[in-house]
Amino acid sequence: MELRHLRYFVAVGEEQHYGRAARRLHVAQPALSRQIQDLEDEIGFTLFDRLPRGVKISTAGKSFLEDARRILQQVSEATMRAACVARGQSGTLRVGFAESASWHGVVPDSFRQFRERQPDAELQLNPLSSLDQVDAVRSGRLDAGFVFDFPKTDRELDQIRVASHNLLLAAPKGHPLTKLKELLLRDMGDTAFIWFPRRQSPAYYDRLMYACFRGGLKTPHIVQEALDQATMLSLVTCRLGVAFVSDSVRWRCPDGVVMLPVADLNLSLPFSLVWRKDNVSPLLENFVEDVKKKASTSSE
């Protein structure tokens, strides 16, 4: 049984006449009669009582007509839903992001634009560390992620550089370092630091340590580790220590924290959108294109 059998049957059942049904379907009447006969042969019972003029749908045919209409409607709706997915108008997009980068700029703007342009699609947002995002994108649990310090090349993942952030020192208000006219790395030898674990980003951890060493901060006094910059800022507010953070956090800097430039710390923190190269989701393709346009005009 094929869908055309159901369409032909519904037309004849509603018209109660082969000629009118044939004209409605734009097919020849003999061909229509053969299709209905083939359908009856396949299902094993008569759908129509043949009359001298026209046909009359049988009792079994009436029951079959209701189900045939429902099946054709479901197929039509399924086709429409699939077409929307193919055009990137519906479906589900799963995106990870670093919380500190969601306060301003490309990240929140891209989420807002997605909701405006694809109102029928579902956007699942997952605040995660950069390391966890990369793992989730590789495994397919996320479609894309906004991450800090991603390598320039990767065999599995593609990327767009969204921004490049400078590092600032977050210090509690009234801290002795806030009184210096020009802050240098060597001025922080005895300062208590809040740092991130090396496993979060080994390459960036090593570059930051090397930059500190070259500037005279030979061994930072790390008193506490934190997994993300939002937690770092909270700990700085508690006066547990100071922390190097990206300038993206200035949009949500707590009242009790001062952001200080470090004159001899020339180390930027790249920020990128990453996704699997073999992910062919139309929703993802649309999202990537929007982020690409925003990144090219952004002045974060």
Side-chain angles (χ1 to χ4, degrees):
M1 185 186 304
E2 299 180 12
L3 287 177
R4 75 168 182 277
H5 290 119
L6 295 182
R7 287 196 293 268
Y8 289 0
F9 163 67
V10 168
V12 177
E14 291 178 347
E15 297 294 342
Q16 301 282 302
H17 193 279
Y18 275 102
R20 290 194 297 269
R23 289 191 294 273
R24 169 175 158 181
L25 294 167
H26 304 289
V27 298
Q29 183 173 332
L32 175 60
S33 298
R34 285 196 302 271
Q35 292 293 328
I36 296 299
Q37 184 62 56
D38 289 344
L39 177 59
E40 289 178 326
D41 291 343
E42 181 175 348
I43 61 180
F45 55 86
T46 300
L47 295 168
F48 298 101
D49 298 325
R50 273 65 178 179
L51 304 176
R53 291 188 177 181
V55 292
K56 180 181 178 181
I57 193 167
S58 66
T59 302
K62 289 180 180 179
S63 175
F64 194 63
L65 180 60
E66 294 179 5
D67 288 332
R69 284 170 172 158
R70 176 177 51 80
I71 291 169
L72 290 175
Q73 179 64 28
Q74 289 176 339
V75 169
S76 176
E77 292 172 353
T79 302
M80 292 176 61
R81 287 193 296 269
C84 288
V85 172
R87 293 192 297 267
Q89 295 174 335
S90 66
T92 300
L93 184 70
R94 303 156 302 168
V95 182
F97 64 97
E99 183 183 351
S100 62
S102 68
W103 298 331
H104 177 82
V106 170
V107 175
D109 289 348
S110 64
F111 294 158
R112 182 166 50 251
Q113 182 168 302
F114 181 91
R115 292 266 27 97
E116 292 172 352
R117 293 190 176 182
Q118 283 87 216
D120 296 326
E122 180 184 4
L123 179 62
Q124 293 182 359
L125 300 178
N126 299 268
L128 295 169
S129 70
S130 294
L131 181 65
D132 290 338
Q133 285 185 69
V134 171
D135 288 343
V137 172
R138 289 192 193 281
S139 67
R141 290 178 285 117
L142 286 180
D143 294 301
F146 287 100
V147 303
F148 286 105
D149 196 41
F150 189 72
K152 291 183 178 180
T153 59
D154 187 279
R155 288 186 299 176
E156 294 182 332
L157 305 185
D158 209 343
Q159 67 173 299
I160 297 171
R161 180 64 58 85
V162 174
S164 184
H165 295 291
N166 295 319
L167 286 189
L168 299 173
L169 185 75
K173 283 186 177 179
H175 191 280
L177 293 178
T178 64
K179 298 177 172 55
L180 299 178
K181 291 184 177 180
E182 183 182 62
L183 179 60
L184 301 173
L185 287 166
R186 66 170 181 262
D187 298 324
M188 296 179 252
D190 298 324
T191 303
F193 273 95
I194 300 159
W195 216 268
F196 60 95
R198 187 178 184 277
R199 66 179 182 278
Q200 289 295 109
S201 181
Y204 192 73
Y205 185 101
D206 293 344
R207 289 203 302 274
L208 178 56
M209 282 295 190
Y210 180 68
C212 289
F213 182 86
R214 289 189 60 187
L217 180 57
K218 305 293 185 182
T219 307
H221 178 43
I222 300 172
V223 298
Q224 181 65 50
E225 290 187 338
L227 297 179
D228 56 72
Q229 297 189 93
T231 303
M232 286 181 168
L233 290 177
S234 296
L235 297 176
V236 172
T237 305
C238 296
R239 310 188 74 82
L240 219 61
V242 301
F244 289 120
V245 295
S246 75
D247 57 10
S248 64
V249 305
R250 68 187 184 276
W251 302 104
R252 205 52 87 80
C253 184
D255 291 338
V257 175
V258 179
M259 307 299 291
L260 304 172
V262 182
D264 56 347
L265 180 57
N266 299 313
L267 184 65
S268 61
L269 183 59
F271 184 61
S272 305
L273 176 71
V274 301
W275 66 94
R276 283 187 65 94
K277 295 177 180 178
D278 59 0
N279 190 329
V280 295
S281 163
L283 273 180
L284 174 63
E285 182 180 358
N286 292 344
F287 185 75
V288 168
E289 286 303 311
D290 287 343
V291 171
K292 190 178 299 184
K293 290 176 184 177
K294 289 186 176 299
S296 65
T297 59
S298 173
S299 58
E300 290 191 29

